[in-house]
Amino acid sequence: MSLPNHTTFCERYGVRPGAAVDLSTIDPNDTGEFKSLKEASKSLKKLRKKLRKYQDRFYAWNQKSLLIVLQAMDTAGKDGTIKHVMRGVNPQGVTVTSFKVPTPEEYAHDYLWRIHKAVPKKGMIGIFNRSHYEDVLVVRVHNYVPQNVWSRRYEQINSFEQHLAENDVVILKFYLHISLDEQARRLQARLDNPDKRWKFSKGDLKERKLWDDYMAAYTDAIQKCSTQHAPWYIIPSNNKWYRNYVVAQVIVETLKNMDPQYPDPEEGLEDIVVV
Ligand code: AMP
Ligand code: MG
């Protein structure tokens, strides 16, 4: 299957505001126009080069920040996406924040408090490994707060993200879509590999049993909160290389559309000779 020339990855994998979402109809095995990693490796390399180029300009330009939200079920590849997509990008221009179970101090504040503090400043790409969406995902699935509390959060999140967007934060949200079977394989691989065992938690199996509840919660989060100013992208993620490829494509397309420019140099530099 090849992409028609006019179709961008943003259009292809982005969720149009107001569109109905049915995750069961989206193929996590999709690999677009490629049959294998081997076929894609040249394109991946070129894409990494482009990302490096745009990030260099974006950092120097210093006019906007880029917030990348990663959400997914366990093992879908939040960590791997960060490691592989950002490989080679200047670390000085990137922040990564992982949101865990809130600390007592975080619990003592509203749920967006810790989030807002971590939003990247101008020139920076900020990656959220989990995010405020946990407050309508794990929190909803486990009833950590009553329905009348979490159900109001979709609108609060949209307003918060709109506020950020109107203040020079460009937002991309990725849901890394894997199948239940693929998760089983990856959890087993973590158990079987001594170097990966540290990533396994018995709690992951409890969450896995709640798969359908999570899919319902993800569907609502994506459907209610994919907006013009902060779109959701559903990324086929059973194949790690294709996941990385699509995420990188969406980031590159977004940076390109911003058209970041190197700032004008000081005047009168032409005549200067450094001795
Ligand atoms: P990991 O990403 O594997 O390090 O796990 C982090 C854990 O923190 C996951 O089980 C998340 O569901 C949990 N977590 C993150 N944010 C929240 C939140 N706002 N409320 C409750 N649990 C959360
Ligand atoms: Mg985990």
Side-chain angles (χ1 to χ4, degrees), residues 10-265:
C10 287
E11 284 166 26
R12 180 161 180 197
Y13 293 103
V15 177
R16 267 175 295 109
V21 172
D22 182 353
L23 289 173
S24 69
T25 64
I26 298 175
D27 181 10
N29 285 310
D30 176 17
T31 54
E33 70 263 50
F34 303 113
K35 286 202 183 66
S36 64
L37 166 61
K38 204 165 159 232
E39 239 183 71
S41 64
K42 237 189 181 161
S43 306
L44 259 164
K45 225 169 141 186
K46 265 203 223 153
L47 188 58
R48 283 213 182 93
K49 218 169 139 187
K50 273 196 207 166
L51 181 57
R52 274 203 290 278
K53 181 183 89 173
Y54 280 116
Q55 189 235 350
D56 198 57
R57 283 188 193 203
F58 183 74
Y59 181 79
W61 188 46
N62 204 25
Q63 297 296 306
K64 288 177 185 286
S65 61
L66 178 63
L67 173 60
I68 296 172
V69 170
L70 294 175
Q71 283 290 161
M73 297 298 284
D74 289 313
T75 73
K78 298 184 290 297
D79 297 323
T81 302
I82 297 168
K83 183 151 85 180
H84 294 289
V85 173
M86 289 296 145
R87 188 193 297 163
V89 163
N90 181 357
Q92 187 156 241
V94 181
T95 58
V96 180
T97 312
S98 299
F99 292 98
K100 309 278 186 186
V101 176
T103 63
E105 196 191 11
E106 288 168 347
Y107 265 130
H109 289 84
D110 74 276
Y111 69 100
L112 293 174
W113 179 75
R114 64 175 183 164
I115 305 296
H116 204 162
K117 280 203 298 186
V119 170
K121 60 185 175 186
K122 285 177 189 156
M124 301 293 287
I125 298 177
I127 303 171
F128 284 0
N129 184 340
R130 302 186 190 271
S131 65
H132 42 306
Y133 283 93
E134 291 293 324
D135 293 283
V136 288
L137 293 165
V138 66
V139 168
R140 161 175 160 164
V141 168
H142 288 280
N143 299 305
Y144 290 153
V145 299
Q147 176 164 6
N148 67 356
V149 173
W150 61 251
S151 63
R152 282 202 290 255
R153 290 181 172 172
Y154 301 101
E155 229 176 282
Q156 293 163 2
I157 288 174
N158 286 341
S159 304
F160 170 66
E161 291 177 351
Q162 184 169 353
H163 162 81
L164 295 179
E166 287 174 5
N167 287 278
D168 303 315
V169 183
V170 175
I171 305 169
L172 298 174
K173 302 179 296 200
F174 295 106
Y175 168 62
L176 310 179
H177 183 47
I178 56 165
S179 61
L180 187 61
D181 285 354
E182 181 63 18
Q183 193 196 45
R185 278 190 286 278
R186 293 187 187 184
L187 284 171
Q188 192 60 51
R190 282 185 180 178
L191 284 168
D192 295 345
N193 180 345
D195 293 346
K196 290 220 169 133
R197 230 169 261 162
W198 67 274
K199 278 197 148 193
F200 186 91
S201 134
K202 286 183 195 155
D204 296 347
L205 297 180
K206 275 213 299 242
E207 300 312 297
R208 177 175 163 76
K209 290 213 176 87
L210 298 168
W211 187 271
D212 291 344
D213 293 346
Y214 271 107
M215 288 306 112
Y218 268 109
T219 301
D220 266 357
I222 295 169
Q223 205 164 265
K224 291 177 193 288
C225 299
S226 196
T227 56
Q228 209 69 51
H229 56 267
W232 270 107
Y233 296 88
I234 300 174
I235 309 297
S237 298
N238 272 10
N239 293 285
K240 296 173 183 175
W241 59 269
Y242 193 65
R243 172 200 74 202
N244 297 340
Y245 182 70
V246 177
V247 169
Q249 283 281 10
V250 171
I251 296 172
V252 166
E253 285 174 9
T254 303
L255 287 170
K256 189 174 175 201
N257 286 340
M258 281 191 249
D259 195 24
Q261 301 292 329
Y262 290 114
D264 287 336

